[in-house]
Amino acid sequence: MPYDDSVPPTRRARPLLLAAALAALCLTTITGCGGSPDTAEGKGANASASPSASTSASASAAPEASPTASLPQGPLTGRTVVIDPGHNPRNREHTKEINEQVDIGTGRKECDTTGTSTDDGYAEARFTLDVSHRLRELLQAQGARVLLTHDDDRPFGPCIDERARIGNEAKADAVVSVHADGSAVGNRGFHVILPAAVKGGGADTSKIVKSSADLGARIAGHFVRTTGSAPSNYIGGGTGLDTRDDLGGLNLSTVPKVFVECGNMRDPKDAALLTDARWRQKAAQGMADGIAAHLKG
């Protein structure tokens, strides 16, 4: 969600880019051809109503999951993927720190936010870590070098500018930021957020707009096929794709990057999926397949 709830996020559909992205989406499916105020970086500092009832997998001491030498050989050997688990389970204990403003190139925003949660208290930050662990394992099995921006090993954050910097410094072939939305009941489905063409301050997405659109479209196509979930019925006009220029994690990226909002935690039907470990595995598989399709060209 945008940090100022009174101002809706600027959305620039950019018809030619979106058409190209949709064409890529169709190519990734077998049968062919489908941000809200509470989405992505902008979920407010007090949005998570209660700590999660679940626990994440054990954290590593460093972002890189395992030594490159130990990775199996596979179709993604030699490729680097950065996974960015949205928010941090302990952000709610550090509201002062996460409310500090950071530069996103075209303005300033809070360092990070708490994210949302289901009505039963399953926190988005726990969801994103769980799915990110599953996604890491799937990509490593194909030979990819995988780094996480954090692994429940920090007291808060990292800040959104640092999240972008981790992907940039790793010279990642793809970066995926994993999220879940916090919209109104009845708003259902997933959507993938693509970077708009942004140039200002330290932000310049001109070199990654096209490649990010391809990455996002391929993830959207595979996500539909693998999870059975429909594209969002409230964002993206049924395409599952949304272009935004107000997210620091995208604005500051110099490598292909997208955000994936896997569903709406505030809708009971979507929440039932997001809290189901079997569905989370499908979500990770859909993202892994989309990433692999993008990297294979």
Side-chain angles (χ1 to χ4, degrees):
M1 79 165 67
Y3 292 104
D4 181 355
D5 290 340
S6 67
V7 182
T10 302
R11 285 174 166 73
R12 299 176 180 173
R14 307 181 68 252
L16 293 178
L17 170 61
L18 189 55
L22 288 173
L25 186 155
C26 296
L27 290 173
T28 64
T29 60
I30 295 174
T31 58
C33 313
S36 89
D38 293 306
T39 192
E41 291 172 3
K43 302 178 189 72
N46 297 312
S48 182
S50 63
S52 168
S54 67
T55 56
S56 68
S58 59
S60 62
E64 188 167 0
S66 61
T68 304
S70 67
L71 293 174
Q73 295 295 299
L76 300 185
T77 296
R79 299 302 191 106
T80 297
V81 178
V82 171
I83 304 171
D84 178 28
H87 313 287
N88 181 316
R90 289 184 294 279
N91 273 358
R92 59 191 176 82
E93 300 168 0
H94 297 274
T95 55
K96 179 180 178 181
E97 290 87 348
I98 67 172
N99 283 330
E100 292 291 331
Q101 298 278 306
V102 298
D103 188 354
I104 65 167
T106 56
R108 298 184 71 81
K109 274 193 173 181
E110 287 88 345
C111 157
D112 201 9
T113 53
T114 62
T116 188
S117 69
T118 66
D119 289 342
D120 291 335
Y122 180 51
E124 179 188 3
R126 292 295 180 188
F127 169 83
T128 64
L129 274 170
D130 180 86
V131 173
S132 295
H133 291 151
R134 296 169 188 271
L135 178 56
R136 175 176 64 187
E137 183 176 349
L138 291 167
L139 293 171
Q140 286 179 331
Q142 297 187 66
R145 172 178 175 250
V146 182
L147 291 81
L148 301 186
T149 58
H150 73 99
D151 200 1
D152 200 12
D153 51 2
R154 301 173 61 133
F156 65 90
C159 294
I160 55 178
D161 56 341
E162 184 182 354
R163 290 171 186 266
R165 190 160 57 248
I166 290 169
N168 297 344
E169 292 178 352
K171 294 181 171 54
D173 297 290
V175 182
V176 174
S177 190
V178 181
H179 286 266
D181 208 356
S183 189
V185 173
N187 289 344
R188 297 198 60 197
F190 77 93
H191 64 279
V192 182
I193 305 175
L194 314 174
V198 170
K199 189 169 185 178
D204 184 356
T205 62
S206 58
K207 294 181 180 179
I208 67 162
V209 166
K210 184 176 180 180
S211 55
S212 296
D214 180 76
L215 172 63
R218 290 179 185 271
I219 289 175
H222 283 279
F223 203 91
V224 168
R225 183 195 310 174
T226 305
T227 66
S229 292
S232 170
N233 64 6
Y234 62 103
I235 288 178
T239 67
L241 301 174
D242 181 42
T243 301
R244 290 178 59 170
D245 63 5
D246 64 321
L247 300 177
L250 296 181
N251 289 357
L252 298 174
S253 184
T254 59
V255 294
K257 182 173 182 178
V258 299
F259 282 42
V260 182
E261 296 279 357
C262 297
N264 177 17
M265 301 196 95
R266 292 297 185 175
D267 177 82
K269 293 180 179 178
D270 267 12
L273 298 176
L274 297 167
T275 54
D276 183 338
R278 293 169 298 181
W279 188 89
R280 294 197 299 272
Q281 185 65 31
K282 292 178 182 179
Q285 186 69 62
M287 283 185 267
D289 291 346
I291 293 167
H294 168 74
L295 295 180
K296 294 173 187 176

